[in-house]
Amino acid sequence: MILYSTNHQSPDVSLEEAVFRGLPSDNGLYMPHIIPTLPVSFFENIDKMSITDIAFEVSKALLSDDISDDDLKMIVERAINFDAPMVEIEENTYVLELFHGPSMAFKDFGARFMASLMSYFLQKSQKDVHILVATSGDTGGAVAQGFYKTPGIKVTILYPTGKVSDIQEKQLTTLGENVTALEIDGTFDDCQSLVKAAFLDKDLSSKFNLASANSINISRLIPQSFYYFQAFAALKRQGNTKPVVFCVPSGNFGNISAGLIAKRMGLPVKMFVAATNANNVIPEYLKTGNYVSKISQETISNAMDVGNPSNFIRMRLLAGDVHEQVVTHITGDFSTDTATRKAMKEVFERTNYIMCPHTAVAYLGLKSYTDTLNEEVAGVVLSTAHYAKFLDVVEDTLGTKVEVPERLSDLLSKEKVAIPLSKEFVDFKKYLLS
Ligand SMILES: *Cc1c(COP(=O)(O)O)cnc(C)c1O
């Protein structure tokens, strides 16, 4: 895979370079020059394949110039070792549950594949790397789990004290081994500034092989395409012949970009619905053709509180670049917190199915689109997190106590280990050098 920068001011790179660099120096995003189409036989046999088989075939089509089949198989098997089941919650409406990985959110797909790929490249070159990540919550947990006990990789996670939920904090601070959590006396932006400053610091970069694991890394995008094929396989197993619509609860728009990659590789998709909360920059762009970033607003679906989505350019390019092309692939919808809570309660009372707030935003997005159609479709709502990760909102909205999976309740009883630090770079640097 050869990748270019969307700003065209930085040279083309190999997969390995893109994975370790993360961002091109011209501040664009890396994009593959070529996205291959999968053979017809793949789609004919897809209903007989497991998600790991599918992941292998899709990644082989994309990455076979960089990695041998045997190695790729090992990388995929290590990363994609949990399922993504589809649940039909009402007629023609399916929930694709992407939260069965270790951190119970869909970010496990991206983080685990990135870790597996980095570890493979490092073993080949006999190098070590020190990964720095700033997190406002969910990303940190998935990254920490993804890199946990990975040979050659040391991970330092910076999070703002008092600003992440209990469960999120425990996911960051109870692993140990090669994962260290730093509790920063500041905001998420302070954490991010510390990481940026570390990459620019000459003493640190000469002493350590520093790398970033941020969400725009191409190795996090690729594995998110796997489960769109998996959803299609599940529908085929049920004998579905209706056109397929995916509704994606979106924040930085990486997830929906991966869906567009799947479509470019041949997956038949009638439409993608980009569903957001009140942070509706993209639904507005889809409606008007104008992209106007905003200051982000806080909502109950807080993993999507993004005012300037970092993958916008990727999404636009993958959907044909010009607005009139883009809207043939993607339509937008946004929901208020009030509407989101109402949907969570109404679906629970009618079907007993519990949706996290992000999933409920997507449920509403799907309905608002299918209501405009005069044909039946198979609607797939991507469920990006387990409801118990948002326990307070869920119990308050549903008016009842809900069951918490053992994996999360066990976590709450574990002891937190974090190193408290100020937001001053001198302190952070002193810590890293010590
Ligand atoms: C990160 C996240 C999203 C948004 O995904 P993007 O790829 O940034 O659009 C949605 N839901 C949950 C639970 C998340 O953690």
Side-chain angles (χ1 to χ4, degrees):
M1 178 179 271
I2 308 290
L3 301 106
Y4 68 94
S5 165
T6 52
N7 279 350
H8 304 287
Q9 303 297 314
S10 173
D12 284 0
V13 294
S14 66
L15 174 70
E16 183 170 352
E17 276 178 273
V19 169
F20 286 101
R21 238 177 249 236
L23 269 179
S25 54
D26 62 5
N27 267 322
L29 296 182
Y30 283 125
M31 279 284 276
H33 271 294
I34 297 170
I35 297 174
T37 314
L38 289 157
V40 175
S41 59
F42 169 77
F43 292 101
E44 280 171 357
N45 295 317
I46 197 167
D47 49 330
K48 296 171 200 82
M49 296 166 77
S50 71
I51 188 164
T52 319
D53 299 335
I54 291 173
F56 174 62
E57 291 299 327
V58 174
S59 49
K60 193 165 80 172
L62 291 164
L63 308 177
S64 62
D65 288 347
D66 306 86
I67 304 166
S68 74
D69 284 5
D70 286 348
D71 288 336
L72 199 52
K73 195 156 205 144
M74 184 194 71
I75 291 165
V76 166
E77 280 171 1
R78 194 159 57 191
I80 314 298
N81 56 356
F82 53 93
D83 202 7
M86 283 253 280
V87 181
E88 187 171 14
I89 59 165
E90 53 199 50
E91 201 184 352
N92 296 332
T93 303
Y94 301 82
V95 174
L96 179 64
E97 296 186 340
L98 302 174
F99 51 72
H100 294 270
S103 82
M104 307 203 83
F106 84 108
K107 290 193 172 70
D108 283 327
F109 281 91
R112 292 179 71 76
F113 194 80
M114 171 168 61
S116 191
L117 206 56
M118 278 188 175
S119 149
Y120 162 77
F121 284 130
L122 289 169
Q123 274 171 322
K124 255 194 4 180
S125 60
Q126 306 270 312
K127 274 194 270 185
D128 288 339
V129 42
H130 189 153
I131 290 182
L132 303 178
V133 206
T135 185
S136 56
D138 253 10
T139 304
V143 168
Q145 280 282 357
F147 286 105
Y148 182 52
K149 292 188 179 171
T150 302
I153 298 182
K154 191 169 170 341
V155 185
T156 301
I157 296 186
L158 292 79
Y159 72 96
T161 184
K163 301 217 168 54
V164 302
S165 76
D166 281 359
I167 285 179
Q168 286 172 334
E169 182 169 45
K170 289 290 170 85
Q171 283 185 325
L172 305 173
T173 58
T174 57
L175 287 168
E177 299 272 349
N178 61 331
V179 178
T180 308
L182 303 181
E183 182 174 9
I184 304 296
D185 188 12
T187 62
F188 169 62
D189 288 337
D190 294 325
C191 296
Q192 216 160 14
S193 305
L194 288 174
V195 170
K196 278 195 186 139
F199 282 113
L200 295 173
D201 187 272
K202 295 227 162 51
D203 300 331
L204 292 175
S205 48
S206 66
K207 185 150 188 246
F208 304 109
N209 191 11
L210 295 177
S212 123
N214 54 24
S215 63
I216 44 69
N217 197 299
I218 190 72
S219 62
R220 285 179 61 169
L221 204 57
I222 292 168
Q224 293 183 37
S225 67
F226 302 159
Y227 45 73
Y228 289 89
F229 293 98
Q230 147 78 5
F232 182 78
L235 288 172
K236 193 170 178 213
R237 279 193 281 274
Q238 299 196 358
N240 174 67
T241 53
K242 299 184 193 94
V244 181
V245 173
F246 285 102
C247 185
V248 189
S250 296
N252 272 316
F253 288 76
N255 202 359
I256 204 167
S257 296
L260 290 161
I261 292 177
K263 190 173 185 185
R264 288 272 293 268
M265 295 181 81
L267 187 71
V269 179
K270 177 182 169 70
M271 187 62 83
F272 290 98
V273 186
T276 71
N277 55 31
N279 296 282
N280 62 351
V281 171
I282 302 274
E284 284 298 304
Y285 155 77
L286 291 166
K287 201 165 91 184
T288 64
N290 300 318
Y291 179 89
V292 187
S293 67
K294 294 184 191 164
I295 306 283
S296 70
Q297 289 181 47
E298 276 185 39
T299 73
I300 55 167
S301 46
N302 58 20
M304 312 198 298
D305 294 350
V306 180
N308 190 11
S310 53
N311 280 295
F312 169 64
I313 176 80
R314 275 185 177 144
M315 181 196 87
R316 204 188 72 201
L317 291 172
L318 287 162
D321 200 4
V322 288
H323 182 256
E324 59 182 14
Q325 272 297 315
V326 174
V327 295
T328 64
H329 299 283
I330 315 170
T331 181
D333 185 61
F334 69 96
S335 298
T336 61
D337 280 355
T338 311
T340 306
R341 284 186 191 266
K342 193 160 163 261
M344 289 165 69
K345 193 166 167 63
E346 192 264 326
V347 168
F348 174 64
E349 284 171 355
R350 193 157 40 81
T351 70
N352 237 357
Y353 191 83
I354 305 177
M355 304 185 289
C356 89
H358 310 79
T359 309
V361 166
Y363 175 83
L364 287 168
L366 178 72
K367 294 294 153 182
S368 86
Y369 172 64
T370 53
D371 282 352
T372 67
L373 300 176
N374 42 25
E375 64 173 332
E376 283 202 341
V377 296
V380 181
V381 171
L382 270 60
S383 178
T384 46
H386 191 281
Y387 65 79
K389 292 194 84 172
F390 304 91
L391 205 56
D392 294 348
V393 174
V394 169
E395 291 188 336
D396 177 53
T397 302
L398 304 185
T400 176
K401 289 269 168 210
V402 296
E403 206 180 315
V404 178
E406 226 166 273
R407 200 179 311 164
L408 291 182
S409 50
D410 282 356
L411 202 60
L412 287 173
S413 63
K414 284 194 189 157
E415 198 192 335
K416 153 185 162 183
V417 181
I419 298 167
L421 274 186
S422 81
K423 62 181 183 190
E424 303 304 325
F425 181 65
V426 283
D427 290 340
F428 179 48
K429 181 171 173 177
K430 203 156 80 189
Y431 163 76
L432 287 173
L433 290 170
S434 70

